[in-house]
Amino acid sequence: MYHAIVFFDLDGTLFDDNKNVLPTSVAAIHEMQQHHILPVIATGRNIFEIQSILDTTHIGAVVSANGSYVQYQGKRLAAANIPISTLKAITTFAKQQGDPVGYFNNQGFRLSQANQDTQDNFNLLRLSAVVDPDWYLTHDINFLNIFNRDKEKIYQREFAGQLTLVRNNPRALDTMVMGITKQTGIRTLLKTAGLQDAKTYAFGDGLNDLQMFDEVDVPIAMSNGVFQAKNKATYVTTSNMTDGIVNGLRHFGLIQ
């Protein structure tokens, strides 16, 4: 029985600006675990991208790929795979637009093509991108990146009712099965794992955290976050570079 559950976004939240978890944050998570408080990663990233973080923090519960893949105690609970017909359609449409597509699942990813934006994006994420335009035909895909800077309305109109497309960075659209968000992933985790009775908290900073904030009892925004996140939060903690995680947990009495 957990006394509380705390969901952590990664980029701009649990991660510092160098994509590392501050040692003080790791210590805080371990303290939470000792007091029967469950930490959960809730991120737009996929499992394969964050395995070292899970190993360091001993976190086994993850809402990944903006809710598209959920695991608990290190085991899969749910995956919202994109239908192959939709994958073929969006691949064709993106090619017509001249836009690269990144195809993801919990184990890896491939690109339909590369350009400067894909190179910059994956260098920032410390990932090596491989171009294999047919990879999606033989692998389950639960998440896409559509690389463009100003076409969300075009894609949203073309794939209305099929896909949810959210701009989470200037280079690409996060793309999931219609209706899938961090919020639905959290619901799946809590219901499937039988955790509905615990009080819930969430730390976040970005636009893809807003629906997560709607789902938890206590939303906590980082001071470096977007104004929409801070406006929706119950509490605004310090930044991801200045012990925002520790200070937020301490404010609510989740650690000493």
Side-chain angles (χ1 to χ4, degrees):
M1 178 68 179
Y2 292 106
H3 301 314
I5 301 171
V6 184
F7 295 89
F8 296 100
D9 173 55
L10 285 181
D11 294 280
T13 302
L14 190 58
F15 278 162
D16 65 16
D17 290 347
N18 298 311
K19 307 300 180 184
N20 297 313
V21 181
L22 296 176
T24 49
S25 296
V26 175
I29 288 170
H30 290 163
E31 182 179 342
M32 288 168 48
Q33 292 165 324
Q34 291 169 7
H35 292 92
H36 304 289
I37 298 171
L38 178 68
V40 182
I41 299 297
T43 179
R45 291 177 181 248
N46 291 266
I47 297 291
F48 73 90
E49 302 176 61
I50 63 171
Q51 191 59 55
S52 63
I53 305 304
L54 302 181
D55 293 341
T56 298
T57 57
H58 305 147
I59 292 176
V62 186
V63 175
S64 70
N66 284 340
S68 297
Y69 187 93
V70 181
Q71 72 174 39
Y72 179 61
Q73 296 180 340
K75 298 179 181 179
R76 166 181 160 166
L77 285 185
N81 293 326
I82 301 171
I84 188 65
S85 58
T86 306
L87 289 170
K88 289 179 178 179
I90 199 165
T91 296
T92 298
F93 188 77
K95 186 175 182 179
Q96 293 169 350
Q97 298 290 323
D99 298 337
V101 179
Y103 308 98
F104 293 79
N105 59 32
N106 64 304
Q107 297 179 324
F109 80 106
R110 297 292 188 274
L111 282 173
S112 64
Q113 59 179 304
N115 65 12
Q116 190 62 53
D117 274 348
T118 66
Q119 293 174 28
D120 292 344
N121 186 74
F122 293 114
N123 285 341
L124 181 66
L125 296 176
R126 301 179 182 176
L127 294 174
S128 297
V130 175
V131 173
D132 184 349
D134 296 326
W135 190 73
Y136 75 94
L137 295 171
T138 55
H139 293 78
D140 288 337
I141 305 298
N142 57 264
F143 182 81
L144 304 172
N145 274 152
I146 310 298
F147 285 89
N148 63 72
R149 289 180 174 265
D150 58 1
K151 300 177 185 176
E152 46 261 66
K153 290 184 179 179
I154 295 173
Y155 280 91
Q156 288 166 351
R157 182 170 60 249
E158 184 71 17
F159 294 95
Q162 300 178 68
L163 297 170
T164 294
L165 298 103
V166 179
R167 183 164 299 283
N168 198 35
N169 76 53
R171 304 179 188 86
L173 296 170
D174 288 357
T175 305
M176 297 76 66
V177 170
M178 184 66 190
I180 294 295
T181 64
K182 286 187 182 182
Q183 183 176 26
T184 64
I186 289 171
R187 287 178 183 170
T188 296
L189 173 66
L190 296 178
K191 181 178 180 180
T192 307
L195 302 172
Q196 302 100 313
D197 293 336
K199 189 169 184 177
T200 53
Y201 301 76
F203 286 79
D205 73 302
L207 295 175
N208 68 337
D209 296 319
L210 299 182
Q211 289 178 308
M212 173 174 72
F213 279 7
D214 287 334
E215 189 65 21
V216 300
D217 298 314
V218 183
I220 304 163
M222 313 300 289
S223 66
N224 54 283
V226 298
F227 79 89
Q228 295 96 323
K230 289 186 280 189
N231 188 55
K232 190 179 282 284
T234 298
Y235 178 73
V236 178
T237 186
T238 53
S239 78
N240 63 324
M241 295 295 289
T242 56
D243 276 336
I245 297 299
V246 172
N247 292 330
L249 291 171
R250 189 169 287 147
H251 176 83
F252 288 101
L254 297 169
I255 61 171
Q256 296 298 314

